[in-house]
Amino acid sequence: MGLAFEWTVKLGDILTMGGALMVAAAFLYNRGGKEAGDQMSLSALAEEFKEMKSELKTFSETLQKIAVQETKIELLMKWYDELRHGTGFIQERRANIDGEYKR
């Protein structure tokens, strides 16, 4: 006599199998889903940091340009004041101006 397989399925068997599948799916989702979500969050943060680094670099370059312009403006104002008061690179006596550098 051979082995006979019984093909009848009971409702309790189906519910047990469905419950086991749902528990396994929930376990895998929580494990993989959380790690995948964390990985996506870390990737997003890394991208934000790259953008912030780029913006700070641009801001730093702009501040350096402003500092150079301020220095140039200060020098121009100093030269303007010197020329306005008659002190500067005048080599000989002209009218009422006494030059800083005389011959």
Side-chain angles (χ1 to χ4, degrees):
M1 190 170 167
L3 292 173
F5 187 76
E6 183 180 344
W7 287 97
T8 58
V9 179
K10 298 177 185 158
L11 181 61
D13 295 337
I14 293 174
L15 292 176
T16 302
M17 182 63 77
L21 287 174
M22 286 198 296
V23 167
F27 174 76
L28 291 175
Y29 176 77
N30 282 338
R31 180 166 164 75
K34 182 171 175 18
E35 289 176 2
D38 290 345
Q39 185 64 30
M40 289 189 314
S41 296
L42 290 175
S43 297
L45 283 174
E47 186 65 30
E48 287 290 327
F49 282 132
K50 285 180 186 177
E51 290 177 9
M52 288 174 62
K53 186 177 179 182
S54 174
E55 290 177 9
L56 286 175
K57 183 177 180 184
T58 304
F59 184 68
S60 173
E61 291 171 355
T62 303
L63 285 179
Q64 289 175 352
K65 288 178 183 178
I66 290 173
V68 168
Q69 289 175 354
E70 286 180 355
T71 303
K72 288 180 180 179
I73 290 171
E74 287 174 7
L75 286 174
L76 287 173
M77 293 304 292
K78 179 182 173 192
W79 292 341
Y80 174 76
D81 287 340
E82 287 177 358
L83 291 174
R84 190 168 166 222
H85 291 103
T87 57
F89 296 101
I90 300 172
Q91 304 252 334
E92 60 187 61
R93 185 173 174 89
R94 294 185 189 174
N96 294 331
I97 301 174
D98 291 331
E100 185 176 322
Y101 302 103
K102 297 181 181 180
R103 289 187 177 188

